[in-house]
Amino acid sequence: MRQSRALWLLDRLERDPRADPVIDALRERVRALPLGRGRDLLHGRWLGHPVHPLMVQVPIGSWLSAAVLDLRPGRSREAGLLVGVGLAAAAPAAFTGAVDWAELHRQQQRVGLLHALTNTAAVALYTASLVCRVKGRGAAGRTFGFLGMTAVGLGGMLGGHLAYRQASGANHAEEVPHVVTEGWHRIGTVDEFPAGRPVRRSVDDVPVLVVREPGGTVHALAERCSHLAGPLSEGTVADGCVQCPWHGSTFRLSDGWNVRGPATAPQPAFDTRVVDAHVELRLRRHDRDGRAADDRETDRRPTGSGAGRTRGGGG
């Protein structure tokens, strides 16, 4: 089966650098906005996933409902009200999308720019529709409304491409609990982990970030950032946290909690221990009963003369 024309055009758009100067200028302006902690609010860190997909439901739903009413005689007033509601909700929805867009990969930003332009055209068409309705030009208002709905559909298709084909906004660490096998995994001797320095190891082909504190406590997190799979082992370790070198997401080493965005999901964390001068890891599960039983079994395991055990983050 041949590739669809639409997908072929989108693949070309992802590789086309001509809009990059515009993208750079817009990205820097969005990043320079003095949002403070409000930036994490707009990213959706409090929600656990991006806010933008939630916000766009109001304008899309309002405009779709207006289109349905426009198909029925005598409902122009109600349809006009819904067009106005959609326009009022479009600005905050666009703002949350812009904040997310500024922290994406370049290929995603190229598609995202067209997504924004298409939705801007939709807003312009619906604004014209509302003006016509207010002036009593109902037929023109309905025509502009249907054109706006077409633009919204195209924008939604581009948004779906961003979310599902390009995985913008997805949790890039979600698969870790499904890949790492149960039990303890030996990853090296204690001497291989210099105090305070991030080290990359692998467990079941899953990259793992390991940090040993000066006091001896060992922390371990999934190494690929949940935001866009940035390499945390190349990030900065400070104040009990690691900062992703790509977009600045910050995670607590003790439990992987995302203390600062744009990441909206925490990093999978590992329990750690030292046995016979070797560091061992075990994925931290949320099944308390199973974990307690496993802990009891582990506590009965002989560790040999001089062996100690250290758990990261109260594991």
Side-chain angles (χ1 to χ4, degrees), residues 262-286:
T264 59
Q267 290 295 111
F270 291 77
D271 294 325
T272 68
R273 68 182 183 183
V274 176
V275 177
D276 296 330
H278 285 77
V279 177
E280 296 183 350
L281 307 181
R282 178 184 63 180
L283 184 66
R284 191 171 302 167
R285 307 284 182 179
H286 296 289

PDB file of all heavy atoms in Angstrom, residues 262-286:
ATOM      1  N   PRO A 262       9.291  21.319  31.696  1.00  0.00           N
ATOM      2  CA  PRO A 262       8.015  20.976  31.077  1.00  0.00           C
ATOM      3  C   PRO A 262       7.547  19.530  31.225  1.00  0.00           C
ATOM      4  O   PRO A 262       6.457  19.202  30.764  1.00  0.00           O
ATOM      5  CB  PRO A 262       8.275  21.284  29.600  1.00  0.00           C
ATOM      6  CG  PRO A 262       9.741  21.096  29.411  1.00  0.00           C
ATOM      7  CD  PRO A 262      10.353  21.579  30.693  1.00  0.00           C
ATOM      8  N   ALA A 263       8.316  18.654  31.822  1.00  0.00           N
ATOM      9  CA  ALA A 263       7.851  17.282  32.031  1.00  0.00           C
ATOM     10  C   ALA A 263       6.606  17.289  32.911  1.00  0.00           C
ATOM     11  O   ALA A 263       6.567  17.964  33.944  1.00  0.00           O
ATOM     12  CB  ALA A 263       8.946  16.441  32.672  1.00  0.00           C
ATOM     13  N   THR A 264       5.595  16.544  32.511  1.00  0.00           N
ATOM     14  CA  THR A 264       4.378  16.445  33.303  1.00  0.00           C
ATOM     15  C   THR A 264       4.266  15.105  34.021  1.00  0.00           C
ATOM     16  O   THR A 264       3.350  14.906  34.818  1.00  0.00           O
ATOM     17  CB  THR A 264       3.135  16.631  32.407  1.00  0.00           C
ATOM     18  OG1 THR A 264       3.131  15.625  31.394  1.00  0.00           O
ATOM     19  CG2 THR A 264       3.134  18.004  31.764  1.00  0.00           C
ATOM     20  N   ALA A 265       5.184  14.183  33.729  1.00  0.00           N
ATOM     21  CA  ALA A 265       5.172  12.854  34.364  1.00  0.00           C
ATOM     22  C   ALA A 265       6.490  12.632  35.091  1.00  0.00           C
ATOM     23  O   ALA A 265       7.552  13.066  34.631  1.00  0.00           O
ATOM     24  CB  ALA A 265       4.968  11.753  33.320  1.00  0.00           C
ATOM     25  N   PRO A 266       6.469  11.969  36.251  1.00  0.00           N
ATOM     26  CA  PRO A 266       7.699  11.669  36.967  1.00  0.00           C
ATOM     27  C   PRO A 266       8.511  10.585  36.279  1.00  0.00           C
ATOM     28  O   PRO A 266       8.023   9.906  35.375  1.00  0.00           O
ATOM     29  CB  PRO A 266       7.214  11.197  38.345  1.00  0.00           C
ATOM     30  CG  PRO A 266       5.845  10.649  38.070  1.00  0.00           C
ATOM     31  CD  PRO A 266       5.267  11.475  36.957  1.00  0.00           C
ATOM     32  N   GLN A 267       9.754  10.448  36.725  1.00  0.00           N
ATOM     33  CA  GLN A 267      10.611   9.374  36.210  1.00  0.00           C
ATOM     34  C   GLN A 267      10.405   8.098  37.020  1.00  0.00           C
ATOM     35  O   GLN A 267      10.314   8.156  38.250  1.00  0.00           O
ATOM     36  CB  GLN A 267      12.080   9.783  36.325  1.00  0.00           C
ATOM     37  CG  GLN A 267      12.513  10.879  35.379  1.00  0.00           C
ATOM     38  CD  GLN A 267      12.444  10.457  33.936  1.00  0.00           C
ATOM     39  OE1 GLN A 267      11.603  10.953  33.179  1.00  0.00           O
ATOM     40  NE2 GLN A 267      13.307   9.550  33.534  1.00  0.00           N
ATOM     41  N   PRO A 268      10.321   6.938  36.372  1.00  0.00           N
ATOM     42  CA  PRO A 268      10.324   5.684  37.136  1.00  0.00           C
ATOM     43  C   PRO A 268      11.587   5.597  37.995  1.00  0.00           C
ATOM     44  O   PRO A 268      12.685   5.900  37.530  1.00  0.00           O
ATOM     45  CB  PRO A 268      10.322   4.616  36.039  1.00  0.00           C
ATOM     46  CG  PRO A 268       9.698   5.291  34.856  1.00  0.00           C
ATOM     47  CD  PRO A 268      10.160   6.713  34.931  1.00  0.00           C
ATOM     48  N   ALA A 269      11.405   5.222  39.246  1.00  0.00           N
ATOM     49  CA  ALA A 269      12.513   5.164  40.198  1.00  0.00           C
ATOM     50  C   ALA A 269      12.835   3.719  40.559  1.00  0.00           C
ATOM     51  O   ALA A 269      11.991   2.821  40.441  1.00  0.00           O
ATOM     52  CB  ALA A 269      12.178   5.957  41.459  1.00  0.00           C
ATOM     53  N   PHE A 270      14.068   3.512  41.008  1.00  0.00           N
ATOM     54  CA  PHE A 270      14.543   2.178  41.377  1.00  0.00           C
ATOM     55  C   PHE A 270      14.947   2.160  42.840  1.00  0.00           C
ATOM     56  O   PHE A 270      15.521   3.131  43.355  1.00  0.00           O
ATOM     57  CB  PHE A 270      15.754   1.788  40.530  1.00  0.00           C
ATOM     58  CG  PHE A 270      15.458   1.535  39.084  1.00  0.00           C
ATOM     59  CD1 PHE A 270      15.258   2.589  38.206  1.00  0.00           C
ATOM     60  CD2 PHE A 270      15.376   0.237  38.592  1.00  0.00           C
ATOM     61  CE1 PHE A 270      14.998   2.369  36.863  1.00  0.00           C
ATOM     62  CE2 PHE A 270      15.113  -0.004  37.253  1.00  0.00           C
ATOM     63  CZ  PHE A 270      14.915   1.066  36.392  1.00  0.00           C
ATOM     64  N   ASP A 271      14.653   1.061  43.519  1.00  0.00           N
ATOM     65  CA  ASP A 271      15.262   0.791  44.816  1.00  0.00           C
ATOM     66  C   ASP A 271      16.709   0.388  44.570  1.00  0.00           C
ATOM     67  O   ASP A 271      17.032  -0.215  43.533  1.00  0.00           O
ATOM     68  CB  ASP A 271      14.534  -0.349  45.533  1.00  0.00           C
ATOM     69  CG  ASP A 271      13.124   0.017  45.914  1.00  0.00           C
ATOM     70  OD1 ASP A 271      12.882   1.182  46.249  1.00  0.00           O
ATOM     71  OD2 ASP A 271      12.250  -0.869  45.839  1.00  0.00           O
ATOM     72  N   THR A 272      17.569   0.724  45.513  1.00  0.00           N
ATOM     73  CA  THR A 272      18.986   0.388  45.358  1.00  0.00           C
ATOM     74  C   THR A 272      19.517  -0.260  46.630  1.00  0.00           C
ATOM     75  O   THR A 272      18.989  -0.043  47.717  1.00  0.00           O
ATOM     76  CB  THR A 272      19.831   1.638  45.046  1.00  0.00           C
ATOM     77  OG1 THR A 272      19.853   2.486  46.208  1.00  0.00           O
ATOM     78  CG2 THR A 272      19.268   2.415  43.870  1.00  0.00           C
ATOM     79  N   ARG A 273      20.566  -1.051  46.460  1.00  0.00           N
ATOM     80  CA  ARG A 273      21.265  -1.612  47.610  1.00  0.00           C
ATOM     81  C   ARG A 273      22.684  -1.951  47.180  1.00  0.00           C
ATOM     82  O   ARG A 273      22.999  -2.051  45.982  1.00  0.00           O
ATOM     83  CB  ARG A 273      20.572  -2.864  48.131  1.00  0.00           C
ATOM     84  CG  ARG A 273      20.651  -4.055  47.180  1.00  0.00           C
ATOM     85  CD  ARG A 273      19.909  -5.248  47.732  1.00  0.00           C
ATOM     86  NE  ARG A 273      20.047  -6.422  46.857  1.00  0.00           N
ATOM     87  CZ  ARG A 273      19.436  -7.587  47.091  1.00  0.00           C
ATOM     88  NH1 ARG A 273      18.644  -7.720  48.151  1.00  0.00           N
ATOM     89  NH2 ARG A 273      19.623  -8.603  46.261  1.00  0.00           N
ATOM     90  N   VAL A 274      23.566  -2.085  48.161  1.00  0.00           N
ATOM     91  CA  VAL A 274      24.952  -2.467  47.916  1.00  0.00           C
ATOM     92  C   VAL A 274      25.182  -3.831  48.561  1.00  0.00           C
ATOM     93  O   VAL A 274      24.994  -4.000  49.770  1.00  0.00           O
ATOM     94  CB  VAL A 274      25.937  -1.430  48.484  1.00  0.00           C
ATOM     95  CG1 VAL A 274      27.380  -1.901  48.295  1.00  0.00           C
ATOM     96  CG2 VAL A 274      25.732  -0.075  47.809  1.00  0.00           C
ATOM     97  N   VAL A 275      25.558  -4.801  47.742  1.00  0.00           N
ATOM     98  CA  VAL A 275      25.808  -6.165  48.212  1.00  0.00           C
ATOM     99  C   VAL A 275      27.197  -6.577  47.747  1.00  0.00           C
ATOM    100  O   VAL A 275      27.478  -6.592  46.544  1.00  0.00           O
ATOM    101  CB  VAL A 275      24.747  -7.143  47.672  1.00  0.00           C
ATOM    102  CG1 VAL A 275      25.069  -8.566  48.124  1.00  0.00           C
ATOM    103  CG2 VAL A 275      23.359  -6.729  48.123  1.00  0.00           C
ATOM    104  N   ASP A 276      28.063  -6.901  48.697  1.00  0.00           N
ATOM    105  CA  ASP A 276      29.433  -7.309  48.360  1.00  0.00           C
ATOM    106  C   ASP A 276      30.120  -6.266  47.479  1.00  0.00           C
ATOM    107  O   ASP A 276      30.770  -6.591  46.479  1.00  0.00           O
ATOM    108  CB  ASP A 276      29.448  -8.673  47.657  1.00  0.00           C
ATOM    109  CG  ASP A 276      28.938  -9.790  48.553  1.00  0.00           C
ATOM    110  OD1 ASP A 276      29.113  -9.671  49.789  1.00  0.00           O
ATOM    111  OD2 ASP A 276      28.364 -10.748  48.027  1.00  0.00           O
ATOM    112  N   ALA A 277      29.935  -5.011  47.861  1.00  0.00           N
ATOM    113  CA  ALA A 277      30.555  -3.872  47.164  1.00  0.00           C
ATOM    114  C   ALA A 277      30.034  -3.685  45.745  1.00  0.00           C
ATOM    115  O   ALA A 277      30.641  -2.963  44.949  1.00  0.00           O
ATOM    116  CB  ALA A 277      32.071  -3.981  47.151  1.00  0.00           C
ATOM    117  N   HIS A 278      28.929  -4.303  45.416  1.00  0.00           N
ATOM    118  CA  HIS A 278      28.289  -4.125  44.118  1.00  0.00           C
ATOM    119  C   HIS A 278      26.930  -3.435  44.298  1.00  0.00           C
ATOM    120  O   HIS A 278      26.209  -3.712  45.263  1.00  0.00           O
ATOM    121  CB  HIS A 278      28.077  -5.468  43.412  1.00  0.00           C
ATOM    122  CG  HIS A 278      29.327  -6.051  42.836  1.00  0.00           C
ATOM    123  ND1 HIS A 278      30.266  -6.684  43.618  1.00  0.00           N
ATOM    124  CD2 HIS A 278      29.793  -6.086  41.558  1.00  0.00           C
ATOM    125  CE1 HIS A 278      31.281  -7.097  42.845  1.00  0.00           C
ATOM    126  NE2 HIS A 278      31.009  -6.753  41.589  1.00  0.00           N
ATOM    127  N   VAL A 279      26.607  -2.547  43.368  1.00  0.00           N
ATOM    128  CA  VAL A 279      25.326  -1.846  43.389  1.00  0.00           C
ATOM    129  C   VAL A 279      24.284  -2.690  42.645  1.00  0.00           C
ATOM    130  O   VAL A 279      24.536  -3.169  41.540  1.00  0.00           O
ATOM    131  CB  VAL A 279      25.429  -0.461  42.727  1.00  0.00           C
ATOM    132  CG1 VAL A 279      24.064   0.226  42.691  1.00  0.00           C
ATOM    133  CG2 VAL A 279      26.436   0.407  43.471  1.00  0.00           C
ATOM    134  N   GLU A 280      23.142  -2.857  43.274  1.00  0.00           N
ATOM    135  CA  GLU A 280      22.041  -3.579  42.659  1.00  0.00           C
ATOM    136  C   GLU A 280      20.801  -2.694  42.638  1.00  0.00           C
ATOM    137  O   GLU A 280      20.574  -1.898  43.562  1.00  0.00           O
ATOM    138  CB  GLU A 280      21.758  -4.882  43.417  1.00  0.00           C
ATOM    139  CG  GLU A 280      22.921  -5.867  43.362  1.00  0.00           C
ATOM    140  CD  GLU A 280      22.601  -7.188  44.043  1.00  0.00           C
ATOM    141  OE1 GLU A 280      21.546  -7.259  44.718  1.00  0.00           O
ATOM    142  OE2 GLU A 280      23.379  -8.145  43.896  1.00  0.00           O
ATOM    143  N   LEU A 281      19.996  -2.871  41.585  1.00  0.00           N
ATOM    144  CA  LEU A 281      18.793  -2.063  41.396  1.00  0.00           C
ATOM    145  C   LEU A 281      17.572  -2.964  41.266  1.00  0.00           C
ATOM    146  O   LEU A 281      17.651  -4.085  40.780  1.00  0.00           O
ATOM    147  CB  LEU A 281      18.887  -1.214  40.124  1.00  0.00           C
ATOM    148  CG  LEU A 281      20.107  -0.321  39.929  1.00  0.00           C
ATOM    149  CD1 LEU A 281      19.962   0.426  38.609  1.00  0.00           C
ATOM    150  CD2 LEU A 281      20.246   0.659  41.074  1.00  0.00           C
ATOM    151  N   ARG A 282      16.437  -2.413  41.678  1.00  0.00           N
ATOM    152  CA  ARG A 282      15.151  -3.079  41.474  1.00  0.00           C
ATOM    153  C   ARG A 282      14.110  -2.001  41.214  1.00  0.00           C
ATOM    154  O   ARG A 282      14.023  -1.006  41.941  1.00  0.00           O
ATOM    155  CB  ARG A 282      14.762  -3.887  42.717  1.00  0.00           C
ATOM    156  CG  ARG A 282      13.416  -4.569  42.612  1.00  0.00           C
ATOM    157  CD  ARG A 282      13.034  -5.263  43.902  1.00  0.00           C
ATOM    158  NE  ARG A 282      12.879  -4.309  45.000  1.00  0.00           N
ATOM    159  CZ  ARG A 282      12.545  -4.655  46.248  1.00  0.00           C
ATOM    160  NH1 ARG A 282      12.384  -5.935  46.549  1.00  0.00           N
ATOM    161  NH2 ARG A 282      12.411  -3.749  47.182  1.00  0.00           N
ATOM    162  N   LEU A 283      13.345  -2.167  40.165  1.00  0.00           N
ATOM    163  CA  LEU A 283      12.332  -1.174  39.835  1.00  0.00           C
ATOM    164  C   LEU A 283      11.350  -1.034  40.983  1.00  0.00           C
ATOM    165  O   LEU A 283      10.843  -2.022  41.518  1.00  0.00           O
ATOM    166  CB  LEU A 283      11.579  -1.571  38.559  1.00  0.00           C
ATOM    167  CG  LEU A 283      10.561  -0.549  38.061  1.00  0.00           C
ATOM    168  CD1 LEU A 283      11.248   0.737  37.615  1.00  0.00           C
ATOM    169  CD2 LEU A 283       9.747  -1.131  36.916  1.00  0.00           C
ATOM    170  N   ARG A 284      11.089   0.189  41.366  1.00  0.00           N
ATOM    171  CA  ARG A 284      10.177   0.461  42.468  1.00  0.00           C
ATOM    172  C   ARG A 284       8.736   0.293  41.982  1.00  0.00           C
ATOM    173  O   ARG A 284       8.285   1.008  41.101  1.00  0.00           O
ATOM    174  CB  ARG A 284      10.397   1.873  42.996  1.00  0.00           C
ATOM    175  CG  ARG A 284       9.680   2.174  44.303  1.00  0.00           C
ATOM    176  CD  ARG A 284      10.137   3.511  44.849  1.00  0.00           C
ATOM    177  NE  ARG A 284      11.589   3.510  45.064  1.00  0.00           N
ATOM    178  CZ  ARG A 284      12.303   4.612  45.299  1.00  0.00           C
ATOM    179  NH1 ARG A 284      11.711   5.790  45.322  1.00  0.00           N
ATOM    180  NH2 ARG A 284      13.605   4.519  45.481  1.00  0.00           N
ATOM    181  N   ARG A 285       8.030  -0.657  42.558  1.00  0.00           N
ATOM    182  CA  ARG A 285       6.654  -0.930  42.171  1.00  0.00           C
ATOM    183  C   ARG A 285       5.695  -0.251  43.131  1.00  0.00           C
ATOM    184  O   ARG A 285       6.034   0.065  44.264  1.00  0.00           O
ATOM    185  CB  ARG A 285       6.385  -2.442  42.168  1.00  0.00           C
ATOM    186  CG  ARG A 285       7.375  -3.249  41.333  1.00  0.00           C
ATOM    187  CD  ARG A 285       7.117  -3.120  39.846  1.00  0.00           C
ATOM    188  NE  ARG A 285       8.048  -3.933  39.069  1.00  0.00           N
ATOM    189  CZ  ARG A 285       8.018  -4.020  37.740  1.00  0.00           C
ATOM    190  NH1 ARG A 285       7.114  -3.373  37.053  1.00  0.00           N
ATOM    191  NH2 ARG A 285       8.904  -4.780  37.101  1.00  0.00           N
ATOM    192  N   HIS A 286       4.458  -0.079  42.684  1.00  0.00           N
ATOM    193  CA  HIS A 286       3.437   0.551  43.524  1.00  0.00           C
ATOM    194  C   HIS A 286       2.536  -0.464  44.209  1.00  0.00           C
ATOM    195  O   HIS A 286       1.616  -0.096  44.929  1.00  0.00           O
ATOM    196  CB  HIS A 286       2.594   1.505  42.676  1.00  0.00           C
ATOM    197  CG  HIS A 286       3.384   2.653  42.138  1.00  0.00           C
ATOM    198  ND1 HIS A 286       3.857   3.679  42.928  1.00  0.00           N
ATOM    199  CD2 HIS A 286       3.807   2.934  40.881  1.00  0.00           C
ATOM    200  CE1 HIS A 286       4.521   4.547  42.193  1.00  0.00           C
ATOM    201  NE2 HIS A 286       4.513   4.123  40.942  1.00  0.00           N
TER     202      HIS A 286
END
